[in-house]
Amino acid sequence: MQQKFGISQRRVCEVLEIHRSVLRYCSKQEDDEEALRAAIIRLTTRYGRYGYRRIHALLKIEGWHINHKRVERIWREEGLKVPQRQSKKGRLYLNDGSCLRLKPCWPNHVWSYDFVAERLANGKKIRLLTVIDEYTRKCLAIRVGYHLTSNDILDILSDLFIQEGIPEHIRSDNGSEFKAQILKEWLKSLNVKTAYIEPGSPWENGYNESFNGKLRDELLNGEVFYSLKEAQVLIEEWRQHYNHIRPHSSLGYKPPAPLARIRSSNTQTQNQKIHTYNNGGNTNQNTNLNLDL
């Protein structure tokens, strides 16, 4: 327009109603752009089912101080996959119109458990029993075996009750293992209320079904298990990652049980910093530890 009408840049900006800084703006590339790009590709390669928001959360854990918009820009420039947006889900209602919602309100308020089926490389079936705390989203245990019965449920719950405490409710479907008389009487003796979902309505056990979906999507669909022992080791390794590292969108992109991290000074690389000073010929040591949860 300047060349065609012979007018100044100021006049062109006034006519188009834009600021001259917009016309003169030149994008600047940060010094750490290539390092950040490599870190994003590395994490995306390792966690192929994570979107840019979870990758951003993992970068923050690694010590990057960046905006999520910058991660999204690089994500799209590299042509990385953006997970499809899930459709909205309505509330659950019974046939009489009453709303069905036993909502967890504090840790150990509501637990839930369910079975997941999988096969080894030779085609042999294995079963996984997953137990989660619906409030904290923490996976309390995953038992892997060829045949899991009500006795296995009793065994794993007894260990969890000692380690984590006794929940008020425990939610499950109507499988024969969960409705076994010996299990029901044992839970009743401990004042644990059972919450069985409606038959044929797995969505009523939504927290556990969601967890099982993540387990299958992020691990089971991408691994070939050649033995039961290998499956047990890899699944337990993924459970530890899920609890302590994997960002959870419902928890503000923080893991359910983040590990304690010792913060150190910039001038020292050791986690434990010891200050030594002289006080009248006596040498005193003071250890400063800062736990960042």
Side-chain angles (χ1 to χ4, degrees), residues 10-280:
R10 184 189 299 272
R11 180 57 179 164
V12 172
C13 292
E14 288 179 356
V15 172
L16 298 179
E17 297 182 349
I18 62 174
H19 199 276
R20 283 185 295 165
S21 62
V22 176
L23 190 62
R24 298 177 178 180
Y25 173 77
C26 295
S27 60
K28 298 180 180 179
Q29 189 176 46
E30 299 291 342
D31 295 336
D32 59 352
E33 184 78 3
E34 293 304 320
L36 176 60
R37 190 180 299 270
I40 292 175
I41 294 175
R42 170 176 54 81
L43 291 173
T44 305
T45 303
R46 182 175 180 182
Y47 308 111
R49 295 297 300 168
Y50 287 6
Y52 74 89
R53 294 185 183 275
R54 279 202 175 88
I55 296 298
H56 172 250
L58 290 176
L59 289 170
K60 290 177 64 178
I61 294 176
E62 290 186 355
W64 289 89
H65 300 282
I66 51 175
N67 191 289
H68 70 89
K69 295 181 181 178
R70 188 179 173 194
V71 177
E72 182 182 9
R73 173 179 59 80
I74 297 175
W75 177 277
R76 295 186 183 277
E77 288 177 357
E78 292 295 328
L80 301 175
K81 179 181 177 182
V82 179
Q84 296 181 356
R85 186 182 297 273
Q86 294 183 354
S87 60
K88 294 183 178 180
K89 298 180 180 180
R91 288 183 173 269
L92 305 178
Y93 292 89
L94 295 175
N95 294 331
D96 58 2
S98 61
C99 182
L100 179 66
R101 185 72 65 185
L102 175 58
K103 185 176 181 180
C105 299
W106 53 82
N108 287 347
H109 181 205
V110 183
W111 289 7
S112 60
Y113 50 17
D114 198 4
F115 286 112
V116 178
E118 183 58 23
R119 288 180 181 271
L120 299 179
N122 59 9
K124 193 165 186 176
K125 293 182 179 179
I126 60 174
R127 301 185 80 188
L128 288 67
L129 174 65
T130 60
V131 186
I132 66 169
D133 186 320
E134 294 189 355
Y135 182 80
T136 64
R137 306 299 204 279
K138 180 181 179 182
C139 176
L140 304 175
I142 302 180
R143 174 68 64 88
V144 184
Y146 290 119
H147 305 285
L148 298 179
T149 64
S150 58
N151 291 329
D152 295 290
I153 298 177
L154 281 169
D155 181 53
I156 194 170
L157 287 183
S158 60
D159 291 340
L160 290 177
F161 287 178
I162 296 173
Q163 298 170 7
E164 306 288 341
I166 300 178
E168 295 187 21
H169 300 81
I170 188 162
R171 195 194 317 260
S172 70
D173 58 26
N174 294 270
S176 58
E177 298 88 353
F178 303 124
K179 300 197 74 173
Q181 192 64 28
I182 185 174
L183 177 61
K184 293 169 64 176
E185 292 178 355
W186 180 70
L187 292 174
K188 184 178 179 180
S189 66
L190 297 174
N191 295 322
V192 179
K193 300 181 180 66
T194 55
Y196 297 109
I197 65 175
E198 288 293 309
S201 305
W203 54 85
E204 294 182 9
N205 195 7
Y207 290 95
N208 198 278
E209 291 293 336
S210 175
F211 171 81
N212 292 343
K214 295 179 179 66
L215 171 62
R216 182 166 296 282
D217 185 45
E218 298 175 12
L219 178 69
L220 301 183
N221 287 346
E223 292 286 349
V224 177
F225 303 121
Y226 292 96
S227 66
L228 178 64
K229 187 62 178 179
E230 182 184 16
Q232 291 171 341
V233 171
L234 292 179
I235 290 171
E236 177 60 22
E237 180 180 321
W238 182 87
R239 187 182 75 88
Q240 295 296 332
H241 170 79
Y242 176 88
N243 284 338
H244 304 307
I245 299 177
R246 181 188 184 277
H248 201 296
S249 58
S250 299
L251 302 176
Y253 287 94
K254 296 180 180 179
L259 295 173
R261 184 177 56 183
I262 300 180
R263 184 181 297 168
S264 61
S265 173
N266 293 333
T267 59
Q268 295 181 346
T269 58
Q270 295 180 350
N271 288 337
Q272 185 174 357
K273 183 170 59 178
I274 302 178
H275 298 280
T276 305
Y277 59 90
N278 236 338
N279 185 9

